[in-house]
Amino acid sequence: MFGFTLPSELLAAKERAHTFAEKIMRPVSRKYDETGEWATDVYQAAFDFGYLQAMVPEDCGGPGASQLEEVVVCEELAWGCAGLYTSIMANGLAMTPVLIAGSPEQKKKWLGMIAEEPKFAAFSLSEPNAGSDAGGMTCRAEKRGDKYIINGTKCYCTNGGYADWYTLFCSTDPTKGARGASCIVVPRDTPGLVVGKALDKMGQRASNQVELYFNDAEVPVENLLAKEGMGFIIAMKTLDQTRAAVAAGGVGVARAAFEVALDYAKTRIQFGAPIFANQAISFMLADMAKKIEASRLLTWQAAWMTDNNIKNSKQSAIAKTFATDTAMEVTTDAVQILGGNGYSRDYLVEKFMRDAKLLQIYEGTNQIQRLVIAKEIQQGN
Ligand code: COS
């Protein structure tokens, strides 16, 4: 069966997520953008709606959402507020290494915890000197008896200030480069783990990114996911899955800006007519609509491939790049269409534009996505 419409249960999920975004996120999005405070009220509601724990499988007590459902919901959440969306979506990012590589016991323990009450996990890959070159990580875990002793610094750890546990990527064998990387679950209360202060950002200010400092932090060896040396592969497989949810964020932010710009263009009178009457404006809106629709289809495709166990490194990188570049272009054009009003804080489009920028940067910059796409097409994929 081939079709482009969502099945009824996903249409219902989309409608429900839109209601959540409209009634719970939008009214407070400006407040959390200004204060940068942690939105406990929104995350409690996100838990009640099943969004914080969406990726927890049913046998671990969660809703076990498909990737397609996740991206359908994420588009709406990002429409509501990209900063709040990032906190919610990044819980799925942090859980995915456990989903991919955890033993049944590890899944029950770590994912089950997220299903019980509003709790956060955080994905910790980047380091001050290993961002795009993720394989160059130097954070080190040495095995001593039944413990790993961890030393090093991580950065840009989303939700890191509020997480109960971290999926930490670190080197267990520095002589092997990326092949010496491992993924270890680190509980927040680990002695020797210090959480740094939050990054003060241009946009998505409701989300939280911190540095993590490990000083002889001790973690039981049973917290290792899969085997030593599998960390880099786990990270890459995780990002293949989760980049579709970032793409969905791009679609949501772009759509939010498009709606404001379209409404404005139809009602703003200049030279005796709505500015939409000028092709200079209506063609900008036509291009926005075109790119948003294409972004959504690419996003759905990448998510559908994950759900059907089809390798999607190329498609998720394409979706992430296309949709988040679209978000940047559309939000910038929306500010332009609103002119001076667009640049003012009286309208949300200036926030959408600041928020969009981060989507082009996190979960792999769009330059790295092009590297992934280039490698894939070189290999004939
Ligand atoms: N799935 C499975 N395995 C993968 C993979 C994938 N998607 N991508 C790479 N691998 C494997 C390769 O097959 C290779 O295995 P072998 O050692 O057996 O050959 C190994 O991983 C190393 O791959 P590669 O040589 O391609 O690694 P590079 O160091 O060249 O880096 C990029 C690859 C740049 C793509 C990677 O470092 C990356 O994604 N960087 C961005 C990181 C990122 O997104 N950071 C944001 C964090 S979240 S805020």
Side-chain angles (χ1 to χ4, degrees):
M1 184 77 136
F2 185 79
F4 285 101
T5 52
L6 292 173
S8 58
E9 68 275 13
L10 288 186
L11 281 173
K14 182 178 172 64
E15 209 177 299
R16 190 165 170 267
H18 188 72
T19 303
F20 178 86
E22 192 175 31
K23 305 269 185 264
I24 294 172
M25 299 173 95
R26 266 288 171 92
V28 295
S29 71
R30 183 60 92 183
K31 171 182 135 188
Y32 288 116
D33 177 54
E34 280 167 8
T35 64
E37 284 167 10
W38 188 244
T40 308
D41 53 342
V42 176
Y43 304 135
Q44 174 66 54
F47 178 79
D48 296 339
F49 271 70
Y51 300 149
L52 266 193
Q53 69 278 41
M55 302 315 297
V56 179
E58 286 176 359
D59 62 3
C60 296
S66 67
Q67 282 292 327
L68 192 54
E69 179 170 350
E70 175 75 352
V71 299
V72 164
V73 168
C74 278
E75 177 183 333
E76 300 309 316
L77 302 188
W79 178 94
C81 173
L84 298 169
Y85 139 85
T86 286
S87 307
I88 297 167
M89 177 275 293
N91 230 17
L93 167 68
M95 287 189 273
T96 302
V98 182
L99 278 166
I100 288 175
S103 65
E105 296 72 33
Q106 287 173 324
K107 286 181 187 167
K108 282 242 149 51
K109 177 171 180 181
W110 300 111
L111 305 181
M113 190 191 289
I114 304 276
E116 274 168 17
E117 53 186 304
K119 279 192 186 286
F120 282 86
F123 180 86
S124 182
L125 175 64
S126 300
E127 297 184 3
N129 293 313
S132 292
D133 181 12
M137 67 186 88
T138 57
C139 182
R140 179 83 206 274
E142 279 179 88
K143 198 169 176 179
R144 278 192 222 145
D146 59 356
K147 297 252 164 42
Y148 282 109
I149 313 298
I150 305 171
N151 281 287
T153 301
K154 289 284 172 181
C155 62
Y156 304 130
C157 179
T158 296
N159 294 340
Y162 298 89
D164 280 274
W165 52 268
Y166 304 85
T167 32
L168 174 74
F169 294 86
C170 52
S171 176
T172 41
D173 186 347
T175 64
K176 290 190 181 157
R179 277 288 181 195
S182 300
C183 184
I184 300 173
V185 178
V186 178
R188 167 66 175 258
D189 56 7
T190 299
L193 165 59
V194 174
V195 177
K197 76 175 174 56
L199 194 69
D200 189 9
K201 303 188 300 296
M202 168 205 270
Q204 300 208 18
R205 291 172 52 75
S207 72
N208 168 268
Q209 284 80 18
V210 294
E211 290 204 339
L212 301 176
Y213 311 106
F214 295 89
N215 301 305
D216 288 332
E218 284 189 15
V219 177
V221 289
E222 69 205 35
N223 288 16
L224 174 74
L225 297 184
K227 289 193 293 202
E228 284 189 11
M230 291 300 293
F232 191 75
I233 307 281
I234 296 171
M236 293 300 110
K237 286 187 169 176
T238 294
L239 293 166
D240 282 351
Q241 284 194 27
T242 58
R243 282 174 181 152
V246 179
V251 181
V253 175
R255 203 184 94 213
F258 168 76
E259 287 172 7
V260 176
L262 179 62
D263 183 55
Y264 190 88
K266 284 164 94 181
T267 51
R268 167 82 172 167
I269 308 292
Q270 288 294 283
F271 305 107
I275 59 171
F276 190 90
N278 305 300
Q279 287 185 343
I281 300 296
S282 64
F283 282 14
M284 278 167 93
L285 287 155
D287 278 337
M288 290 176 174
K290 185 183 84 183
K291 287 186 273 194
I292 291 169
E293 299 250 344
S295 297
R296 184 180 296 113
L297 291 178
L298 288 169
T299 302
W300 287 1
Q301 180 195 34
W304 176 87
M305 289 177 83
T306 295
D307 286 336
N308 287 280
N309 294 316
I310 302 168
K311 188 172 184 307
N312 66 349
S313 309
K314 182 178 81 173
Q315 287 80 6
S316 62
I318 288 177
K320 197 269 183 185
T321 314
F322 195 90
T324 63
D325 283 351
T326 290
M328 197 66 242
E329 290 157 12
V330 167
T331 55
T332 306
D333 284 350
V335 169
Q336 189 68 22
I337 288 172
L338 269 74
N341 282 330
Y343 203 69
S344 87
R345 288 187 195 269
D346 293 344
Y347 288 79
L348 276 173
V349 286
E350 63 80 26
K351 175 181 182 299
F352 299 150
M353 186 176 156
R354 289 185 285 110
D355 288 347
K357 192 67 220 168
L358 187 52
L359 298 170
Q360 292 182 301
I361 296 171
Y362 68 27
E363 291 204 32
T365 65
N366 284 6
Q367 287 66 38
I368 287 296
Q369 305 309 314
R370 287 171 171 87
L371 199 74
V372 172
I373 298 163
K375 271 192 188 177
E376 290 288 317
I377 57 176
Q378 190 180 32
Q379 290 164 9
N381 295 328

